[in-house]
Amino acid sequence: MCKHILNAQVAVRAPCCKRWYDCAECHQEQNEHRLLQTFEMVFACKKCKKCFRKDAREMEDSDEYCPHCDNHFVLDAKTPQARLEVTGEDVRIDARMIKDERTRQEELRTIFDVKDAADRLG
């Protein structure tokens, strides 16, 4: 799982050490050597788990999709950013702070109405 790119759709095989990485930064963190750059790249689709090769010199719009499952793997990278964000309308409005506007019905405890009891008893 890549911590640099949140929406990585493929893993890339590094030609220098023959290991799979989600991005070049992951390769750099885990190895002492630099990433060997080459035009032929080997990808593994994370959706269908199948591998395929692409030549970077001949990349077309149709090459942005996995040839096995048509997963679109060339996307704008979403990188994690530290930020404080408020979702919803207003955080200050909480269920505990909202006044209950319902009216409570009076419960009758006896067979006659207690409010009228003084008039009836004399």
Side-chain angles (χ1 to χ4, degrees):
M1 183 97 169
C2 181
K3 65 180 180 181
H4 306 105
I5 301 174
L6 299 177
N7 61 341
Q9 300 292 312
V10 292
V12 181
R13 187 172 184 194
C16 47
C17 56
K18 307 291 188 219
R19 292 186 183 163
W20 295 96
Y21 298 99
D22 288 339
C23 69
E25 288 87 5
C26 290
H27 178 272
Q28 186 117 11
E29 284 180 359
Q30 297 177 11
N31 295 306
E32 299 290 327
H33 63 273
R34 293 186 55 126
L35 180 64
L36 178 66
Q37 294 183 352
T38 180
F39 287 113
E40 185 170 317
M41 301 176 356
V42 181
F43 298 102
C45 179
K46 290 189 176 185
K47 185 176 179 184
C48 67
K49 309 286 190 246
K50 293 185 180 177
C51 299
F52 56 95
R53 295 177 189 269
K54 296 285 181 182
D55 192 349
R57 293 174 289 199
E58 300 173 1
M59 278 294 256
E60 297 176 359
D61 290 340
S62 63
D63 291 333
E64 295 181 357
Y65 297 89
C66 172
H68 304 288
C69 68
D70 289 333
N71 183 25
H72 191 208
F73 66 89
V74 178
L75 302 171
D76 292 334
K78 292 184 181 176
T79 56
Q81 297 174 355
R83 62 182 172 191
L84 182 61
E85 188 173 283
V86 177
T87 59
E89 294 177 5
D90 191 358
V91 178
R92 294 173 290 178
I93 297 177
D94 193 292
R96 293 170 286 165
M97 297 172 63
I98 297 174
K99 183 180 177 184
D100 189 8
E101 306 257 341
R102 298 176 291 179
T103 58
R104 178 172 278 173
Q105 294 180 351
E106 298 177 18
E107 296 180 18
L108 299 177
R109 296 185 183 180
T110 62
I111 56 173
F112 59 90
D113 194 3
V114 178
K115 288 185 179 178
D116 298 333
D119 296 334
R120 290 187 185 174
L121 293 176

